Amino acid sequence: MADPKFINDVFLKKEKQLSQATPPRTIKLASVKLQITKLVNLFKFIEHKPKAEFDISFVKNTDKNVKYITTKYPNLRTRNNYIQAFASVLSVLPEYKTEYDFYSKLSSSNATTISNSEDLSLLSKREAANILPWKDIKNVYLKSKCPLERALMAIYTLLPPRRLDVGLLTMVDNDEDLNPDYNYIIVDKDKKASRFVYLNYKNVKSHGRLEI
């Protein structure tokens, strides 16, 4: 396993990095350990060395690392989880900026490919006769003439999944003194939604206030 001092150092830097984000966020030590554990496991198999000899500098061999991940994991989403681990850890290690840029760009590219493939929703002939592909589902809300229906369908199809958090949504015209027991749709002076503010959801202690 990686040196505990290294893990703690990365954790403290990630904590500082996220505290300066907009909006500010938090991170758990366990999350950092999980990302570093992925790198340690890759190091073991790619470099053929025991985990106890883990050396973060192995990240420099980008072609070798990506080739191993691509061969080992045929599923793009799984592969990208490992690429994201590289980017996450290296984002707070300035001496590896070149490598961070490489893994970060690759991760973003993979995420786009994954999103596009989900939009296509490749179906069998039988499925195609009964199921709408995702790219069409995302436009269903446009067919409704009821504002409430359009809003609900848009929330469920255009935003990332959020469990049942939308069941706690309240509409307000400002974001001051919000009750943390609810989530909010902030509307402008014309009553048009400008953003969502989530204060009550499962991981709020880790991520804090979320705005979409």
Side-chain angles (χ1 to χ4, degrees):
M1 184 58 189
D3 180 2
K5 183 178 181 302
F6 172 74
I7 295 174
N8 192 59
D9 182 52
V10 171
F11 168 65
L12 293 176
K13 289 179 178 179
K14 291 288 294 184
E15 195 173 44
K16 181 179 179 180
Q17 178 191 62
L18 294 175
S19 71
Q20 297 173 344
T22 305
R25 291 179 290 158
T26 60
I27 190 170
K28 291 184 177 180
L29 178 60
S31 297
V32 174
K33 285 183 176 179
L34 179 61
Q35 299 288 15
I36 293 177
T37 296
K38 290 178 181 178
L39 300 189
V40 171
N41 289 333
L42 288 174
F43 170 84
K44 174 186 175 182
F45 293 109
I46 294 173
E47 301 299 325
H48 305 289
K49 295 180 179 179
K51 294 180 180 180
E53 295 182 13
F54 174 71
D55 183 348
I56 188 63
S57 66
F58 93 101
V59 303
K60 292 182 176 181
N61 201 334
T62 54
D63 290 342
K64 180 179 179 181
N65 295 337
V66 171
K67 181 178 179 180
Y68 174 83
I69 293 171
T70 302
T71 302
K72 177 73 173 178
Y73 304 103
N75 182 276
L76 181 58
R77 188 181 294 278
T78 301
R79 293 204 302 268
N80 209 38
N81 286 337
Y82 284 92
I83 300 300
Q84 287 173 341
F86 279 107
S88 176
V89 174
L90 298 183
S91 69
V92 294
L93 301 178
E95 62 271 35
Y96 293 101
K97 184 182 184 306
T98 299
E99 290 74 26
Y100 163 72
D101 288 342
F102 172 84
Y103 292 113
S104 179
K105 289 178 181 178
L106 179 57
S107 173
S108 296
S109 175
N110 286 343
T112 299
T113 299
I114 292 169
S115 177
N116 290 340
S117 66
E118 289 176 345
D119 280 352
L120 289 174
S121 294
L122 301 178
L123 306 172
S124 67
K125 289 184 179 180
R126 181 177 180 181
E127 290 172 332
N130 298 283
I131 301 175
L132 282 175
W134 187 245
K135 65 182 180 65
D136 292 336
I137 290 176
K138 291 197 297 185
N139 292 320
V140 166
Y141 79 100
L142 296 173
K143 298 180 180 180
S144 175
K145 295 182 179 180
C146 172
L148 179 59
E149 286 184 355
R150 284 168 64 97
L152 285 174
M153 287 190 285
I155 289 172
Y156 281 116
T157 58
L158 301 182
L159 297 179
R162 296 208 54 83
R163 295 189 172 88
L164 297 177
D165 299 336
V166 293
L168 299 171
L169 279 176
T170 298
M171 187 178 295
V172 295
D173 59 8
N174 68 78
D175 61 357
E176 298 178 2
D177 301 320
L178 298 179
N179 186 331
D181 290 335
Y182 297 94
N183 300 314
Y184 298 87
I185 299 178
I186 312 298
V187 298
D188 59 23
K189 62 181 180 180
D190 297 319
K191 302 301 180 182
K192 293 183 178 180
S194 61
R195 65 189 187 280
F196 293 84
V197 175
Y198 290 94
L199 301 177
N200 185 349
Y201 62 99
K202 183 177 180 181
N203 298 318
V204 67
K205 291 183 179 179
S206 298
H207 303 296
R209 171 177 171 143
L210 291 181
E211 295 192 19
I212 299 177

